[in-house]
Amino acid sequence: MTERSMQEPTLLLLTALADAPRHGYALIQEIDAISDGRVKMRTGTLYGALDRLLTQGLIEVAAEEVVDGRARRSYALTDAGRDALASEAERLRAVATEAERRLTKIRSMLPGRTGSQERPAAGGGLS
């Protein structure tokens, strides 16, 4: 039986923690940067996902401190989290490679098209 692919919030969280431990707000900012602004993770979604990843052993609490009278936890990847992220990155790489191979093949079969030609912008590209 093969493992299920990772859901995007999990992938983004693990990626955000791959290079350094981070606290909740820093994770939200990092996910925004990684996704080029496409994903805006809400606080409730973030903490629900963090609780699930803690339970699964993919992340751990790296530090706890009080900042401005509020508790702040920083999270870090565990060895299992690094392994899961590496496996998912390899799976995605393999799928992308196969998609590119197939696109290149079909492009070469189309008359007058090469793999480097771009499609016109939406709206026809006419002024």
PDB file of all heavy atoms in Angstrom, residues 6-19 22 26-41 46 49-50 52-53 77 85 88 92:
ATOM      1  N   MET A   6       0.635  14.229   0.755  1.00  0.00           N
ATOM      2  CA  MET A   6       0.504  15.184   1.842  1.00  0.00           C
ATOM      3  C   MET A   6      -0.433  16.316   1.423  1.00  0.00           C
ATOM      4  O   MET A   6      -0.361  16.801   0.294  1.00  0.00           O
ATOM      5  CB  MET A   6       1.906  15.730   2.122  1.00  0.00           C
ATOM      6  CG  MET A   6       2.104  16.350   3.443  1.00  0.00           C
ATOM      7  SD  MET A   6       3.855  16.830   3.657  1.00  0.00           S
ATOM      8  CE  MET A   6       4.564  15.282   4.215  1.00  0.00           C
ATOM      9  N   GLN A   7      -1.293  16.726   2.306  1.00  0.00           N
ATOM     10  CA  GLN A   7      -2.166  17.869   2.042  1.00  0.00           C
ATOM     11  C   GLN A   7      -1.318  19.143   2.034  1.00  0.00           C
ATOM     12  O   GLN A   7      -0.304  19.240   2.727  1.00  0.00           O
ATOM     13  CB  GLN A   7      -3.253  17.970   3.114  1.00  0.00           C
ATOM     14  CG  GLN A   7      -4.195  16.780   3.118  1.00  0.00           C
ATOM     15  CD  GLN A   7      -5.006  16.690   1.842  1.00  0.00           C
ATOM     16  OE1 GLN A   7      -5.598  17.673   1.400  1.00  0.00           O
ATOM     17  NE2 GLN A   7      -5.034  15.529   1.229  1.00  0.00           N
ATOM     18  N   GLU A   8      -1.745  20.130   1.247  1.00  0.00           N
ATOM     19  CA  GLU A   8      -0.951  21.346   1.085  1.00  0.00           C
ATOM     20  C   GLU A   8      -0.639  22.063   2.402  1.00  0.00           C
ATOM     21  O   GLU A   8       0.511  22.475   2.599  1.00  0.00           O
ATOM     22  CB  GLU A   8      -1.617  22.306   0.102  1.00  0.00           C
ATOM     23  CG  GLU A   8      -0.709  23.482  -0.218  1.00  0.00           C
ATOM     24  CD  GLU A   8      -1.258  24.377  -1.291  1.00  0.00           C
ATOM     25  OE1 GLU A   8      -2.494  24.531  -1.381  1.00  0.00           O
ATOM     26  OE2 GLU A   8      -0.447  24.934  -2.032  1.00  0.00           O
ATOM     27  N   PRO A   9      -1.583  22.234   3.339  1.00  0.00           N
ATOM     28  CA  PRO A   9      -1.210  22.913   4.591  1.00  0.00           C
ATOM     29  C   PRO A   9      -0.081  22.188   5.335  1.00  0.00           C
ATOM     30  O   PRO A   9       0.813  22.823   5.882  1.00  0.00           O
ATOM     31  CB  PRO A   9      -2.500  22.913   5.406  1.00  0.00           C
ATOM     32  CG  PRO A   9      -3.585  22.815   4.387  1.00  0.00           C
ATOM     33  CD  PRO A   9      -3.020  21.948   3.290  1.00  0.00           C
ATOM     34  N   THR A  10      -0.111  20.872   5.330  1.00  0.00           N
ATOM     35  CA  THR A  10       0.945  20.095   5.984  1.00  0.00           C
ATOM     36  C   THR A  10       2.270  20.302   5.271  1.00  0.00           C
ATOM     37  O   THR A  10       3.301  20.551   5.912  1.00  0.00           O
ATOM     38  CB  THR A  10       0.578  18.594   5.995  1.00  0.00           C
ATOM     39  OG1 THR A  10      -0.643  18.431   6.710  1.00  0.00           O
ATOM     40  CG2 THR A  10       1.672  17.755   6.635  1.00  0.00           C
ATOM     41  N   LEU A  11       2.250  20.220   3.949  1.00  0.00           N
ATOM     42  CA  LEU A  11       3.463  20.432   3.167  1.00  0.00           C
ATOM     43  C   LEU A  11       4.049  21.819   3.426  1.00  0.00           C
ATOM     44  O   LEU A  11       5.253  21.971   3.654  1.00  0.00           O
ATOM     45  CB  LEU A  11       3.166  20.249   1.675  1.00  0.00           C
ATOM     46  CG  LEU A  11       4.300  20.560   0.699  1.00  0.00           C
ATOM     47  CD1 LEU A  11       5.481  19.630   0.927  1.00  0.00           C
ATOM     48  CD2 LEU A  11       3.801  20.454  -0.734  1.00  0.00           C
ATOM     49  N   LEU A  12       3.209  22.830   3.433  1.00  0.00           N
ATOM     50  CA  LEU A  12       3.688  24.192   3.661  1.00  0.00           C
ATOM     51  C   LEU A  12       4.234  24.379   5.075  1.00  0.00           C
ATOM     52  O   LEU A  12       5.269  25.026   5.265  1.00  0.00           O
ATOM     53  CB  LEU A  12       2.566  25.199   3.381  1.00  0.00           C
ATOM     54  CG  LEU A  12       2.151  25.321   1.919  1.00  0.00           C
ATOM     55  CD1 LEU A  12       0.880  26.143   1.787  1.00  0.00           C
ATOM     56  CD2 LEU A  12       3.280  25.916   1.078  1.00  0.00           C
ATOM     57  N   LEU A  13       3.555  23.805   6.064  1.00  0.00           N
ATOM     58  CA  LEU A  13       4.043  23.908   7.446  1.00  0.00           C
ATOM     59  C   LEU A  13       5.398  23.225   7.622  1.00  0.00           C
ATOM     60  O   LEU A  13       6.312  23.790   8.220  1.00  0.00           O
ATOM     61  CB  LEU A  13       3.026  23.306   8.419  1.00  0.00           C
ATOM     62  CG  LEU A  13       1.916  24.234   8.865  1.00  0.00           C
ATOM     63  CD1 LEU A  13       0.823  23.460   9.582  1.00  0.00           C
ATOM     64  CD2 LEU A  13       2.472  25.324   9.759  1.00  0.00           C
ATOM     65  N   LEU A  14       5.507  22.011   7.108  1.00  0.00           N
ATOM     66  CA  LEU A  14       6.782  21.301   7.244  1.00  0.00           C
ATOM     67  C   LEU A  14       7.891  22.029   6.493  1.00  0.00           C
ATOM     68  O   LEU A  14       9.025  22.113   6.975  1.00  0.00           O
ATOM     69  CB  LEU A  14       6.650  19.854   6.764  1.00  0.00           C
ATOM     70  CG  LEU A  14       5.699  18.963   7.572  1.00  0.00           C
ATOM     71  CD1 LEU A  14       5.697  17.546   7.011  1.00  0.00           C
ATOM     72  CD2 LEU A  14       6.033  18.959   9.051  1.00  0.00           C
ATOM     73  N   THR A  15       7.565  22.568   5.332  1.00  0.00           N
ATOM     74  CA  THR A  15       8.556  23.337   4.566  1.00  0.00           C
ATOM     75  C   THR A  15       8.982  24.576   5.333  1.00  0.00           C
ATOM     76  O   THR A  15      10.176  24.905   5.382  1.00  0.00           O
ATOM     77  CB  THR A  15       7.988  23.720   3.189  1.00  0.00           C
ATOM     78  OG1 THR A  15       7.643  22.517   2.476  1.00  0.00           O
ATOM     79  CG2 THR A  15       8.987  24.512   2.369  1.00  0.00           C
ATOM     80  N   ALA A  16       8.026  25.262   5.960  1.00  0.00           N
ATOM     81  CA  ALA A  16       8.333  26.466   6.734  1.00  0.00           C
ATOM     82  C   ALA A  16       9.233  26.165   7.925  1.00  0.00           C
ATOM     83  O   ALA A  16       9.996  27.023   8.371  1.00  0.00           O
ATOM     84  CB  ALA A  16       7.044  27.133   7.197  1.00  0.00           C
ATOM     85  N   LEU A  17       9.170  24.942   8.429  1.00  0.00           N
ATOM     86  CA  LEU A  17       9.988  24.553   9.581  1.00  0.00           C
ATOM     87  C   LEU A  17      11.284  23.853   9.177  1.00  0.00           C
ATOM     88  O   LEU A  17      12.095  23.517  10.039  1.00  0.00           O
ATOM     89  CB  LEU A  17       9.183  23.632  10.509  1.00  0.00           C
ATOM     90  CG  LEU A  17       8.028  24.301  11.239  1.00  0.00           C
ATOM     91  CD1 LEU A  17       7.155  23.267  11.921  1.00  0.00           C
ATOM     92  CD2 LEU A  17       8.560  25.329  12.241  1.00  0.00           C
ATOM     93  N   ALA A  18      11.497  23.646   7.891  1.00  0.00           N
ATOM     94  CA  ALA A  18      12.639  22.860   7.434  1.00  0.00           C
ATOM     95  C   ALA A  18      13.979  23.503   7.761  1.00  0.00           C
ATOM     96  O   ALA A  18      14.950  22.794   8.019  1.00  0.00           O
ATOM     97  CB  ALA A  18      12.542  22.600   5.927  1.00  0.00           C
ATOM     98  N   ASP A  19      14.051  24.824   7.773  1.00  0.00           N
ATOM     99  CA  ASP A  19      15.346  25.466   7.976  1.00  0.00           C
ATOM    100  C   ASP A  19      15.546  26.086   9.355  1.00  0.00           C
ATOM    101  O   ASP A  19      16.668  26.404   9.727  1.00  0.00           O
ATOM    102  CB  ASP A  19      15.608  26.517   6.890  1.00  0.00           C
ATOM    103  CG  ASP A  19      14.550  27.605   6.849  1.00  0.00           C
ATOM    104  OD1 ASP A  19      13.487  27.449   7.479  1.00  0.00           O
ATOM    105  OD2 ASP A  19      14.787  28.615   6.169  1.00  0.00           O
ATOM    106  N   ARG A  22      10.124  27.887  14.340  1.00  0.00           N
ATOM    107  CA  ARG A  22       9.349  29.120  14.221  1.00  0.00           C
ATOM    108  C   ARG A  22       8.120  29.051  15.129  1.00  0.00           C
ATOM    109  O   ARG A  22       7.584  27.989  15.372  1.00  0.00           O
ATOM    110  CB  ARG A  22       8.892  29.339  12.785  1.00  0.00           C
ATOM    111  CG  ARG A  22      10.031  29.712  11.847  1.00  0.00           C
ATOM    112  CD  ARG A  22       9.534  30.075  10.464  1.00  0.00           C
ATOM    113  NE  ARG A  22      10.586  30.696   9.694  1.00  0.00           N
ATOM    114  CZ  ARG A  22      11.532  30.021   9.032  1.00  0.00           C
ATOM    115  NH1 ARG A  22      11.551  28.707   9.050  1.00  0.00           N
ATOM    116  NH2 ARG A  22      12.457  30.676   8.355  1.00  0.00           N
ATOM    117  N   ALA A  26       5.176  33.653  12.911  1.00  0.00           N
ATOM    118  CA  ALA A  26       6.259  33.518  11.943  1.00  0.00           C
ATOM    119  C   ALA A  26       5.930  32.431  10.912  1.00  0.00           C
ATOM    120  O   ALA A  26       6.282  32.560   9.732  1.00  0.00           O
ATOM    121  CB  ALA A  26       7.573  33.191  12.648  1.00  0.00           C
ATOM    122  N   LEU A  27       5.241  31.383  11.342  1.00  0.00           N
ATOM    123  CA  LEU A  27       4.824  30.334  10.402  1.00  0.00           C
ATOM    124  C   LEU A  27       3.819  30.875   9.391  1.00  0.00           C
ATOM    125  O   LEU A  27       3.907  30.574   8.197  1.00  0.00           O
ATOM    126  CB  LEU A  27       4.228  29.139  11.157  1.00  0.00           C
ATOM    127  CG  LEU A  27       5.243  28.247  11.846  1.00  0.00           C
ATOM    128  CD1 LEU A  27       4.547  27.294  12.804  1.00  0.00           C
ATOM    129  CD2 LEU A  27       6.066  27.485  10.819  1.00  0.00           C
ATOM    130  N   ILE A  28       2.872  31.674   9.854  1.00  0.00           N
ATOM    131  CA  ILE A  28       1.887  32.270   8.949  1.00  0.00           C
ATOM    132  C   ILE A  28       2.594  33.130   7.908  1.00  0.00           C
ATOM    133  O   ILE A  28       2.298  33.050   6.712  1.00  0.00           O
ATOM    134  CB  ILE A  28       0.834  33.083   9.742  1.00  0.00           C
ATOM    135  CG1 ILE A  28      -0.083  32.131  10.521  1.00  0.00           C
ATOM    136  CG2 ILE A  28       0.021  33.999   8.821  1.00  0.00           C
ATOM    137  CD1 ILE A  28      -1.013  32.803  11.492  1.00  0.00           C
ATOM    138  N   GLN A  29       3.562  33.932   8.332  1.00  0.00           N
ATOM    139  CA  GLN A  29       4.319  34.784   7.409  1.00  0.00           C
ATOM    140  C   GLN A  29       5.150  33.945   6.440  1.00  0.00           C
ATOM    141  O   GLN A  29       5.221  34.251   5.247  1.00  0.00           O
ATOM    142  CB  GLN A  29       5.237  35.731   8.188  1.00  0.00           C
ATOM    143  CG  GLN A  29       4.487  36.785   8.963  1.00  0.00           C
ATOM    144  CD  GLN A  29       5.434  37.664   9.741  1.00  0.00           C
ATOM    145  OE1 GLN A  29       6.320  37.185  10.442  1.00  0.00           O
ATOM    146  NE2 GLN A  29       5.255  38.966   9.625  1.00  0.00           N
ATOM    147  N   GLU A  30       5.774  32.911   6.943  1.00  0.00           N
ATOM    148  CA  GLU A  30       6.624  32.057   6.111  1.00  0.00           C
ATOM    149  C   GLU A  30       5.797  31.317   5.061  1.00  0.00           C
ATOM    150  O   GLU A  30       6.215  31.192   3.908  1.00  0.00           O
ATOM    151  CB  GLU A  30       7.392  31.072   7.001  1.00  0.00           C
ATOM    152  CG  GLU A  30       8.547  30.417   6.326  1.00  0.00           C
ATOM    153  CD  GLU A  30       9.695  31.364   6.000  1.00  0.00           C
ATOM    154  OE1 GLU A  30       9.758  32.492   6.540  1.00  0.00           O
ATOM    155  OE2 GLU A  30      10.544  30.979   5.177  1.00  0.00           O
ATOM    156  N   ILE A  31       4.624  30.836   5.444  1.00  0.00           N
ATOM    157  CA  ILE A  31       3.737  30.146   4.498  1.00  0.00           C
ATOM    158  C   ILE A  31       3.282  31.110   3.408  1.00  0.00           C
ATOM    159  O   ILE A  31       3.235  30.755   2.228  1.00  0.00           O
ATOM    160  CB  ILE A  31       2.553  29.495   5.237  1.00  0.00           C
ATOM    161  CG1 ILE A  31       3.069  28.280   6.017  1.00  0.00           C
ATOM    162  CG2 ILE A  31       1.420  29.120   4.284  1.00  0.00           C
ATOM    163  CD1 ILE A  31       2.109  27.730   7.032  1.00  0.00           C
ATOM    164  N   ASP A  32       2.993  32.334   3.784  1.00  0.00           N
ATOM    165  CA  ASP A  32       2.626  33.351   2.802  1.00  0.00           C
ATOM    166  C   ASP A  32       3.778  33.549   1.804  1.00  0.00           C
ATOM    167  O   ASP A  32       3.553  33.604   0.595  1.00  0.00           O
ATOM    168  CB  ASP A  32       2.283  34.656   3.513  1.00  0.00           C
ATOM    169  CG  ASP A  32       1.820  35.733   2.558  1.00  0.00           C
ATOM    170  OD1 ASP A  32       0.749  35.572   1.952  1.00  0.00           O
ATOM    171  OD2 ASP A  32       2.551  36.737   2.406  1.00  0.00           O
ATOM    172  N   ALA A  33       5.004  33.616   2.306  1.00  0.00           N
ATOM    173  CA  ALA A  33       6.172  33.815   1.440  1.00  0.00           C
ATOM    174  C   ALA A  33       6.430  32.598   0.552  1.00  0.00           C
ATOM    175  O   ALA A  33       6.664  32.739  -0.656  1.00  0.00           O
ATOM    176  CB  ALA A  33       7.410  34.118   2.287  1.00  0.00           C
ATOM    177  N   ILE A  34       6.369  31.410   1.132  1.00  0.00           N
ATOM    178  CA  ILE A  34       6.619  30.177   0.367  1.00  0.00           C
ATOM    179  C   ILE A  34       5.608  30.037  -0.769  1.00  0.00           C
ATOM    180  O   ILE A  34       5.963  29.627  -1.877  1.00  0.00           O
ATOM    181  CB  ILE A  34       6.556  28.939   1.294  1.00  0.00           C
ATOM    182  CG1 ILE A  34       7.730  28.922   2.246  1.00  0.00           C
ATOM    183  CG2 ILE A  34       6.504  27.643   0.472  1.00  0.00           C
ATOM    184  CD1 ILE A  34       7.582  27.930   3.387  1.00  0.00           C
ATOM    185  N   SER A  35       4.356  30.381  -0.496  1.00  0.00           N
ATOM    186  CA  SER A  35       3.300  30.217  -1.494  1.00  0.00           C
ATOM    187  C   SER A  35       3.152  31.449  -2.385  1.00  0.00           C
ATOM    188  O   SER A  35       2.225  31.520  -3.192  1.00  0.00           O
ATOM    189  CB  SER A  35       1.966  29.901  -0.810  1.00  0.00           C
ATOM    190  OG  SER A  35       1.476  31.044  -0.118  1.00  0.00           O
ATOM    191  N   ASP A  36       4.053  32.410  -2.239  1.00  0.00           N
ATOM    192  CA  ASP A  36       4.013  33.650  -3.015  1.00  0.00           C
ATOM    193  C   ASP A  36       2.665  34.354  -2.847  1.00  0.00           C
ATOM    194  O   ASP A  36       2.086  34.863  -3.808  1.00  0.00           O
ATOM    195  CB  ASP A  36       4.311  33.364  -4.485  1.00  0.00           C
ATOM    196  CG  ASP A  36       4.757  34.604  -5.253  1.00  0.00           C
ATOM    197  OD1 ASP A  36       5.274  35.551  -4.625  1.00  0.00           O
ATOM    198  OD2 ASP A  36       4.565  34.626  -6.485  1.00  0.00           O
ATOM    199  N   GLY A  37       2.153  34.314  -1.613  1.00  0.00           N
ATOM    200  CA  GLY A  37       0.907  34.998  -1.278  1.00  0.00           C
ATOM    201  C   GLY A  37      -0.364  34.250  -1.645  1.00  0.00           C
ATOM    202  O   GLY A  37      -1.457  34.724  -1.372  1.00  0.00           O
ATOM    203  N   ARG A  38      -0.236  33.078  -2.237  1.00  0.00           N
ATOM    204  CA  ARG A  38      -1.397  32.303  -2.676  1.00  0.00           C
ATOM    205  C   ARG A  38      -2.149  31.696  -1.500  1.00  0.00           C
ATOM    206  O   ARG A  38      -3.367  31.568  -1.537  1.00  0.00           O
ATOM    207  CB  ARG A  38      -0.938  31.207  -3.633  1.00  0.00           C
ATOM    208  CG  ARG A  38      -2.038  30.441  -4.306  1.00  0.00           C
ATOM    209  CD  ARG A  38      -1.499  29.394  -5.263  1.00  0.00           C
ATOM    210  NE  ARG A  38      -0.477  28.538  -4.683  1.00  0.00           N
ATOM    211  CZ  ARG A  38      -0.716  27.518  -3.872  1.00  0.00           C
ATOM    212  NH1 ARG A  38      -1.943  27.229  -3.509  1.00  0.00           N
ATOM    213  NH2 ARG A  38       0.272  26.784  -3.397  1.00  0.00           N
ATOM    214  N   VAL A  39      -1.428  31.315  -0.436  1.00  0.00           N
ATOM    215  CA  VAL A  39      -2.056  30.681   0.729  1.00  0.00           C
ATOM    216  C   VAL A  39      -1.946  31.609   1.933  1.00  0.00           C
ATOM    217  O   VAL A  39      -0.854  32.008   2.320  1.00  0.00           O
ATOM    218  CB  VAL A  39      -1.387  29.322   1.048  1.00  0.00           C
ATOM    219  CG1 VAL A  39      -1.957  28.725   2.328  1.00  0.00           C
ATOM    220  CG2 VAL A  39      -1.534  28.369  -0.122  1.00  0.00           C
ATOM    221  N   LYS A  40      -3.107  31.956   2.481  1.00  0.00           N
ATOM    222  CA  LYS A  40      -3.187  32.764   3.708  1.00  0.00           C
ATOM    223  C   LYS A  40      -3.731  31.846   4.796  1.00  0.00           C
ATOM    224  O   LYS A  40      -4.927  31.611   4.872  1.00  0.00           O
ATOM    225  CB  LYS A  40      -4.126  33.952   3.519  1.00  0.00           C
ATOM    226  CG  LYS A  40      -3.814  34.818   2.323  1.00  0.00           C
ATOM    227  CD  LYS A  40      -2.638  35.705   2.582  1.00  0.00           C
ATOM    228  CE  LYS A  40      -2.482  36.694   1.432  1.00  0.00           C
ATOM    229  NZ  LYS A  40      -1.160  37.254   1.389  1.00  0.00           N
ATOM    230  N   MET A  41      -2.835  31.288   5.596  1.00  0.00           N
ATOM    231  CA  MET A  41      -3.267  30.345   6.626  1.00  0.00           C
ATOM    232  C   MET A  41      -3.851  31.112   7.805  1.00  0.00           C
ATOM    233  O   MET A  41      -3.225  32.032   8.331  1.00  0.00           O
ATOM    234  CB  MET A  41      -2.115  29.461   7.081  1.00  0.00           C
ATOM    235  CG  MET A  41      -2.592  28.361   8.006  1.00  0.00           C
ATOM    236  SD  MET A  41      -1.403  27.046   8.260  1.00  0.00           S
ATOM    237  CE  MET A  41      -1.458  26.221   6.699  1.00  0.00           C
ATOM    238  N   LEU A  46      -3.999  26.936  11.406  1.00  0.00           N
ATOM    239  CA  LEU A  46      -2.599  26.732  11.783  1.00  0.00           C
ATOM    240  C   LEU A  46      -2.490  25.907  13.051  1.00  0.00           C
ATOM    241  O   LEU A  46      -1.796  24.884  13.077  1.00  0.00           O
ATOM    242  CB  LEU A  46      -1.896  28.071  11.980  1.00  0.00           C
ATOM    243  CG  LEU A  46      -0.487  27.975  12.570  1.00  0.00           C
ATOM    244  CD1 LEU A  46       0.469  27.359  11.565  1.00  0.00           C
ATOM    245  CD2 LEU A  46      -0.002  29.339  13.035  1.00  0.00           C
ATOM    246  N   ALA A  49      -3.586  22.321  12.708  1.00  0.00           N
ATOM    247  CA  ALA A  49      -2.580  21.538  11.982  1.00  0.00           C
ATOM    248  C   ALA A  49      -1.363  21.269  12.863  1.00  0.00           C
ATOM    249  O   ALA A  49      -0.815  20.160  12.861  1.00  0.00           O
ATOM    250  CB  ALA A  49      -2.169  22.263  10.706  1.00  0.00           C
ATOM    251  N   LEU A  50      -0.937  22.273  13.626  1.00  0.00           N
ATOM    252  CA  LEU A  50       0.209  22.068  14.524  1.00  0.00           C
ATOM    253  C   LEU A  50      -0.089  20.987  15.557  1.00  0.00           C
ATOM    254  O   LEU A  50       0.760  20.126  15.821  1.00  0.00           O
ATOM    255  CB  LEU A  50       0.595  23.381  15.212  1.00  0.00           C
ATOM    256  CG  LEU A  50       1.239  24.443  14.323  1.00  0.00           C
ATOM    257  CD1 LEU A  50       1.379  25.762  15.075  1.00  0.00           C
ATOM    258  CD2 LEU A  50       2.586  23.977  13.788  1.00  0.00           C
ATOM    259  N   ARG A  52      -2.139  18.471  15.232  1.00  0.00           N
ATOM    260  CA  ARG A  52      -2.142  17.187  14.517  1.00  0.00           C
ATOM    261  C   ARG A  52      -0.710  16.729  14.224  1.00  0.00           C
ATOM    262  O   ARG A  52      -0.366  15.561  14.430  1.00  0.00           O
ATOM    263  CB  ARG A  52      -2.937  17.318  13.214  1.00  0.00           C
ATOM    264  CG  ARG A  52      -3.021  16.040  12.408  1.00  0.00           C
ATOM    265  CD  ARG A  52      -3.864  16.209  11.150  1.00  0.00           C
ATOM    266  NE  ARG A  52      -3.580  17.405  10.375  1.00  0.00           N
ATOM    267  CZ  ARG A  52      -2.545  17.534   9.546  1.00  0.00           C
ATOM    268  NH1 ARG A  52      -1.688  16.556   9.393  1.00  0.00           N
ATOM    269  NH2 ARG A  52      -2.371  18.651   8.876  1.00  0.00           N
ATOM    270  N   LEU A  53       0.141  17.643  13.775  1.00  0.00           N
ATOM    271  CA  LEU A  53       1.530  17.288  13.457  1.00  0.00           C
ATOM    272  C   LEU A  53       2.313  16.913  14.720  1.00  0.00           C
ATOM    273  O   LEU A  53       3.189  16.041  14.672  1.00  0.00           O
ATOM    274  CB  LEU A  53       2.217  18.430  12.706  1.00  0.00           C
ATOM    275  CG  LEU A  53       1.638  18.725  11.321  1.00  0.00           C
ATOM    276  CD1 LEU A  53       2.257  20.005  10.746  1.00  0.00           C
ATOM    277  CD2 LEU A  53       1.853  17.548  10.387  1.00  0.00           C
ATOM    278  N   LEU A  77      10.928  20.729  13.234  1.00  0.00           N
ATOM    279  CA  LEU A  77      10.740  19.400  12.649  1.00  0.00           C
ATOM    280  C   LEU A  77      11.434  18.347  13.493  1.00  0.00           C
ATOM    281  O   LEU A  77      12.497  18.599  14.062  1.00  0.00           O
ATOM    282  CB  LEU A  77      11.359  19.335  11.242  1.00  0.00           C
ATOM    283  CG  LEU A  77      10.647  20.020  10.096  1.00  0.00           C
ATOM    284  CD1 LEU A  77      11.391  19.759   8.792  1.00  0.00           C
ATOM    285  CD2 LEU A  77       9.223  19.550   9.972  1.00  0.00           C
ATOM    286  N   LEU A  85       8.886  15.114   4.851  1.00  0.00           N
ATOM    287  CA  LEU A  85       9.017  16.218   3.908  1.00  0.00           C
ATOM    288  C   LEU A  85       9.894  15.824   2.725  1.00  0.00           C
ATOM    289  O   LEU A  85       9.564  16.104   1.573  1.00  0.00           O
ATOM    290  CB  LEU A  85       9.580  17.457   4.613  1.00  0.00           C
ATOM    291  CG  LEU A  85       9.759  18.704   3.747  1.00  0.00           C
ATOM    292  CD1 LEU A  85       8.446  19.140   3.106  1.00  0.00           C
ATOM    293  CD2 LEU A  85      10.369  19.831   4.577  1.00  0.00           C
ATOM    294  N   GLU A  88       7.893  13.511   0.428  1.00  0.00           N
ATOM    295  CA  GLU A  88       6.885  14.249  -0.340  1.00  0.00           C
ATOM    296  C   GLU A  88       7.546  15.081  -1.431  1.00  0.00           C
ATOM    297  O   GLU A  88       7.033  15.161  -2.550  1.00  0.00           O
ATOM    298  CB  GLU A  88       6.046  15.133   0.578  1.00  0.00           C
ATOM    299  CG  GLU A  88       4.925  15.863  -0.123  1.00  0.00           C
ATOM    300  CD  GLU A  88       3.831  14.974  -0.683  1.00  0.00           C
ATOM    301  OE1 GLU A  88       3.869  13.736  -0.498  1.00  0.00           O
ATOM    302  OE2 GLU A  88       2.915  15.521  -1.333  1.00  0.00           O
ATOM    303  N   LEU A  92       6.658  14.673  -5.389  1.00  0.00           N
ATOM    304  CA  LEU A  92       6.250  15.800  -6.223  1.00  0.00           C
ATOM    305  C   LEU A  92       7.212  15.997  -7.398  1.00  0.00           C
ATOM    306  O   LEU A  92       6.790  16.297  -8.515  1.00  0.00           O
ATOM    307  CB  LEU A  92       6.165  17.075  -5.391  1.00  0.00           C
ATOM    308  CG  LEU A  92       5.027  17.115  -4.376  1.00  0.00           C
ATOM    309  CD1 LEU A  92       5.187  18.303  -3.449  1.00  0.00           C
ATOM    310  CD2 LEU A  92       3.684  17.140  -5.074  1.00  0.00           C
TER     311      LEU A  92
END
